[in-house]
Amino acid sequence: MCARRCIGNSQPDETTQGTTVILTVSIADLKTSGQRGDTIVTHALGSCLGITIYDPVAAVGGMLHAMLPDSSIDPKKGLESPFMFVDTGLPRLFKDCYKLGADKTRLIVKVAGGATSKANLEDDYFQIGKRNFVMLRKMLWKNSVLLKSYDVGGCDSRTMSLELSTGDVLLKMNGAVRKL
Amino acid sequence: MALNVLVVDDSAVMRHMIIKTLGLCGIPLGEVHQAGNGKEGLEVLDRSWVDLVLVDINMPVMNGEEMITKLRENPQLKDTAVIVVSTDGSATRIEMMQKKGAGFVHKPFTPELLRDTIVQTTGASYEQLAGNAAVPGDSPDF
Amino acid sequence: MSSWLETRLFRATVRTFEDLGFMLPSSDLNDVQKRARPDAAVEIAFRGIFSGRLVLTMSGPILAVVAGNMLGEDDSEMPREAQLDALGELANVICGNVLPEIAGDRETFALTPPALLTETPGPLKVQAGTVSEIQVGLDDGRAEVRLYLEGEVPAEARGEAA
């Protein structure tokens, strides 16, 4: 069985750079992999959250790009597009990695995004980015999982990648790259 | 070696939050004791070996500050690791606690912040956390 | 009332519900939140450079939700005792956070343990001393925080120019 799973929309989402396979996570999308040479990446994280989980022993990981916190605003949409919402996408991220051999007690969880488009935070009436992060923290706490690290809020768009060989999560913001 | 812990807070919900976070720190835990005020906390320390005390400040009967003072006066307990977990954000109070050799976590805290302070205080290596950021069990969603 | 004081009370309330209760309060209330009936109220008294008390009232079916969130457990099985304990702790944290914002972080205050009120507070009446009140929407309910100050209260808190 191939350990790589590409779940989500039908857009072209897999490219090769040398021996590295890049799996691109679109908006409202999820990718998981158990191949050490793979890199999972998502672009243009604004108020959306990019959530990565990684098991360093099994070298299995995944990334969710969720747009909204709670599927209760449209339960039908939650069923049709579970990766759109944090509350429906997060369980799938974990469960799909379990299927590839990940163990919950070893998983390293990191998150980025949750920004606002408003220069003044008080003008952000809907606070989607903040709501996404609060929903994520609530679900992790309920399921006895802590975040290893996070970079959320602010006004800038982020690109996030997860390298399956090392578990490194890289963040690109305003042209600068740093490890999360 | 497993760490014996005492959590002193007059709120049972807060004690539960702290104990749950302890379980997610990746530190091997031994006995976990609870007390509702400083006096009860000292009674636990009198009869049990405890490696780490997490204590609130504002509590009925005996507050956390008095409890820490008494603990530091006791030759057998004076070197016990202490973390104050309190709503009191006064810089004066924090400095007082630090002079008594206690770490400080301000409420409201995120579980991650509390974990980082516990790990720093107990000297557990950060790598230990990586493999133990979660606990298995009957979690509702995943 | 002083908007300076309200801003600080609002900030401490939002941060407390966000970090401890895993809920994001809103400043604008919808009709359901406005109509929610008072469920429980708790009071914390404090003493320091000035003295006073803080009252937190929760309305609607949200106390079980907040307590469930804090404990990381299913709110449908949340005992009333745990709900009221959570209410007291939330009030304690809001109070402990707003006082240094008003008095500066060098001042220390002694806080009493939370005391459950047998009757939820009525409408705010003008009375002696400085009073401030804010309310926030939370799911299908709301939280109201009222702060009473007496003694050497900073001019900004009294609504006067500093």
Side-chain angles (χ1 to χ4, degrees), chain A residues 110-121:
Chain A
K110 298 183 180 182
V111 62
T116 174
S117 56
K118 306 287 181 189
N120 185 352
L121 292 179

Side-chain angles (χ1 to χ4, degrees), chain A residues 104-105 141 143 146-148, chain B residues 20 112 115 126 131 139 141:
Chain A
K104 182 178 176 181
T105 63
W141 178 244
N143 289 277
L146 293 187
L147 284 169
K148 178 79 177 271
Chain B
K20 180 168 177 169
E112 284 80 7
R115 171 200 61 193
Y126 195 62
S139 297
D141 306 303

Side-chain angles (χ1 to χ4, degrees), chain C residues 90-105:
Chain C
L90 289 164
N92 180 43
V93 175
I94 294 169
C95 189
N97 277 268
V98 78
L99 292 176
E101 290 246 14
I102 300 168
D105 69 2

Side-chain angles (χ1 to χ4, degrees), chain A residues 38-40 52-54 61-63 160-164 167-169:
Chain A
D38 287 1
T39 293
I40 307 177
T52 65
I53 64 175
Y54 181 74
M63 182 188 290
M160 185 187 204
S161 64
L162 167 66
E163 292 175 7
L164 269 294
D168 286 348
V169 174

Side-chain angles (χ1 to χ4, degrees), chain B residues 3-79:
Chain B
L3 213 63
N4 292 342
V5 180
L6 167 63
V7 180
V8 191
D9 198 303
D10 55 334
S11 163
V13 169
M14 184 49 65
R15 292 199 302 270
H16 180 100
M17 289 186 83
I18 292 170
I19 291 168
K20 180 168 177 169
T21 305
L22 277 163
L24 297 173
C25 281
I27 299 166
L29 287 180
E31 293 170 5
V32 178
H33 303 277
Q34 298 186 48
N37 60 61
K39 184 168 175 287
E40 285 179 14
L42 288 172
E43 285 164 7
V44 172
L45 288 166
D46 197 36
R47 62 173 186 265
S48 316
W49 178 260
V50 169
D51 302 290
L52 172 67
V53 179
L54 294 117
V55 58
D56 189 14
I57 292 289
N58 288 301
M59 291 181 292
V61 186
M62 182 191 285
N63 69 28
E65 202 174 336
E66 194 179 341
M67 180 192 157
I68 295 168
T69 302
K70 288 189 183 301
L71 183 146
R72 293 293 185 231
E73 286 168 358
N74 184 325
Q76 287 180 316
L77 301 174
K78 66 180 174 55
D79 295 325

Side-chain angles (χ1 to χ4, degrees), chain A residues 77-162:
Chain A
K77 196 88 178 169
L79 289 172
E80 289 166 357
S81 308
F83 311 136
M84 182 177 280
F85 302 97
V86 175
D87 70 331
T88 46
L90 193 66
R92 281 289 303 274
L93 173 65
F94 276 78
K95 287 174 181 173
D96 285 5
C97 282
Y98 297 160
K99 285 179 191 166
L100 293 177
D103 186 307
K104 182 178 176 181
T105 63
R106 295 191 301 249
L107 283 170
I108 296 165
V109 187
K110 298 183 180 182
V111 62
T116 174
S117 56
K118 306 287 181 189
N120 185 352
L121 292 179
E122 283 163 10
D123 295 336
D124 187 6
Y125 183 79
F126 293 107
Q127 299 189 89
I128 297 297
K130 210 166 187 186
R131 287 184 188 283
N132 280 335
F133 189 51
V134 170
M135 173 58 82
L136 172 75
R137 287 185 49 238
K138 180 175 122 176
M139 291 193 73
L140 291 176
W141 178 244
K142 195 172 177 186
N143 289 277
S144 301
V145 178
L146 293 187
L147 284 169
K148 178 79 177 271
S149 55
Y150 55 90
D151 187 313
V152 294
C155 302
D156 296 314
S157 173
R158 296 163 169 95
T159 291
M160 185 187 204
S161 64
L162 167 66

